[in-house]
């Protein structure tokens, strides 16, 4: 039986849009905005109205230096939101590295587990297989607590960032598959900005087609990240644009990655990204009609 995400991917026209709802007090962009149950419910309904195909709900910050949040606290923060979101008729993703939180959320109606660590690949792979769910494995090195800052990483940390990410991600994917997860239910996320500096993230975007060639759907999450601001910052700038002022760069990164084969884009600003994707698709279709 096809998983809900697999069915979405097989019937899609263009990239799928994953909208974000962080139930955290300390996320880098929207920390604290959706801790209230009513505010969170309004937000996810709004994301669906704006055109999100998938809702990604999380309760543990992934900003650099963030401390781990235990499973019980993540579940308390999320409350009934997974169940309420699934009732809207949209595919729900749980953003967690915890197998306990993932198991609880899948029982509440989530159909995707989105992990920012490769370490629990086998355990989460087995869990997703038992629920007929999909697993998004994001490439990262080390924990969020160990990350020194936003897009701060040594240039020589990777020999070839695309080759290194491919190799490390594939090893984790093989563990998930060996644990029983169908290959078709795995999604590759290169982890833009995670244990990578601006140069690394930009190169991953530019060469995304090489990751697509591995044969898995690719998800990218450039939304509001510091590498977007750094890439657009002039040498004489006194400060980086704050997260809320990175929409233009986010859209540019989304369109570039979709043009190179990204199947899913994870964003905070759903409506404008949906519009940008629609216009880009119309332009491509028009060009194709003239050829």
């Amino acid at each position: 039986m096809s998983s809900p995400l697999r069915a979405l991917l097989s019937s899609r026209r263009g990239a799928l849009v994953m909208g974000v709802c962080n139930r955290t007090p300390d996320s880098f962009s929207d920390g604290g905005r959706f801790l209230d149950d009513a505010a969170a419910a309004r937000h996810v309904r709004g994301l669906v109205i704006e055109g999100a195909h998938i809702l990604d709900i999380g309760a543990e910050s992934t900003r650099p230096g963030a401390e781990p949040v235990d499973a019980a606290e993540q579940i308390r923060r999320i409350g009934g939101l997974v169940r309420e979101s699934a009732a809207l008729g949209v595919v729900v993703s749980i953003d967690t590295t915890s197998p306990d939180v993932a198991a609880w959320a899948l029982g509440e109606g989530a159909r995707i587990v989105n992990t920012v660590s490769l370490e629990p690949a086998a355990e989460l792979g087995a869990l997703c297989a038992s629920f007929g769910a999909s697993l998004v494995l994001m490439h990262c090195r080390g924990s969020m607590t160990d990350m020194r800052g936003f897009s701060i990483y040594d240039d020589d940390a990777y020999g070839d960032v695309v080759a290194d990410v491919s190799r490390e991600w594939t090893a984790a994917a093989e563990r998930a598959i060996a644990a029983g997860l169908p290959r078709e239910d795995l999604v590759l996320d290169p982890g833009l900005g995670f244990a990578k500096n601006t140069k690394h993230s930009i190169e991953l975007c530019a060469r995304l087609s090489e990751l697509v060639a591995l044969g898995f759907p690719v998800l990218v999450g450039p939304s509001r990240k510091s590498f977007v601001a750094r890439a657009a910052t002039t040498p004489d700038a006194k400060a980086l644009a704050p997260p809320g002022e990175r929409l233009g760069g986010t859209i540019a990164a989304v369109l570039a990655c979709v043009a190179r084969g990204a199947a899913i884009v994870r964003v905070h600003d759903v409506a404008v990204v949906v519009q940008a994707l629609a216009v880009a698709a119309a332009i491509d279709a028009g060009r194709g009609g003239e050829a």
Side-chain angles (χ1 to χ4, degrees):
M1 183 176 178
S2 179
S3 67
L5 179 58
R6 206 191 311 173
L8 264 183
L9 287 166
S10 65
S11 63
R12 70 187 175 100
R13 296 180 62 185
L16 300 177
V17 177
M18 174 187 277
V20 179
C21 183
N22 290 316
R23 300 212 70 183
T24 58
D26 56 347
S27 289
F28 82 97
S29 175
D30 55 4
R33 290 187 59 196
F34 308 116
L35 289 176
D36 177 75
D37 289 345
R42 284 194 301 272
H43 182 56
V44 297
R45 287 196 299 270
L47 292 174
V48 174
I49 291 169
E50 291 174 4
H53 305 94
I54 305 164
L55 294 175
D56 192 40
I57 298 170
E60 183 176 41
S61 175
T62 56
R63 64 174 175 76
E67 293 296 328
V69 178
D70 65 41
E73 176 61 13
Q74 290 185 53
I75 291 169
R76 186 198 68 76
R77 289 178 180 179
I78 294 168
L81 191 63
V82 168
R83 185 172 60 254
E84 294 164 12
S85 299
L88 298 174
V90 67
V91 177
V92 177
S93 166
I94 180 68
D95 184 350
T96 188
T97 60
S98 165
D100 290 339
V101 175
W104 170 81
L106 291 168
E108 290 281 287
R111 289 297 172 260
I112 303 169
V113 176
N114 181 16
T115 174
V116 297
S117 172
L118 298 179
E119 291 183 9
E123 192 168 359
L124 292 177
L127 183 63
C128 287
S130 70
F131 278 90
S134 299
L135 176 62
V136 177
L137 279 176
M138 191 198 81
H139 178 273
C140 189
R141 291 174 170 176
S143 69
M144 301 304 109
T145 305
D146 295 333
M147 286 175 62
R148 291 175 293 168
F150 295 102
S151 293
I152 298 174
Y153 214 65
D154 294 336
D155 278 351
D156 62 0
Y158 296 91
D160 179 316
V161 68
V162 176
D164 291 351
V165 166
S166 297
R167 183 183 65 257
E168 293 165 18
W169 185 90
T170 298
E174 289 173 351
R175 296 196 298 272
I177 292 169
L181 185 69
R183 176 188 175 90
E184 295 79 12
D185 287 321
L186 265 172
V187 176
L188 188 167
D189 181 345
L192 302 176
F194 284 85
K196 299 168 187 76
N197 62 24
T198 300
K199 176 183 175 182
H200 300 140
S201 294
I202 292 295
E203 187 165 359
L204 285 164
C205 292
R207 296 171 57 193
L208 197 75
S209 58
E210 295 176 44
L211 297 176
V212 172
L214 294 175
F216 297 89
V218 173
L219 179 153
V220 292
S223 186
R224 302 182 182 177
K225 287 185 177 173
S226 56
F227 85 87
V228 168
R230 291 184 190 280
T233 299
T234 58
D236 58 345
K238 293 183 173 59
L240 290 181
E245 296 177 15
R246 299 171 185 171
L247 181 56
T250 294
I251 291 173
V254 163
L255 294 180
C257 288
V258 170
R260 290 162 174 78
I264 308 169
V265 295
R266 181 183 183 275
V267 296
H268 299 82
D269 304 285
V270 167
V272 291
V273 169
V274 167
Q275 184 182 72
L277 289 170
V279 172
I283 291 170
D284 287 343
R287 184 178 59 193
E290 294 170 1

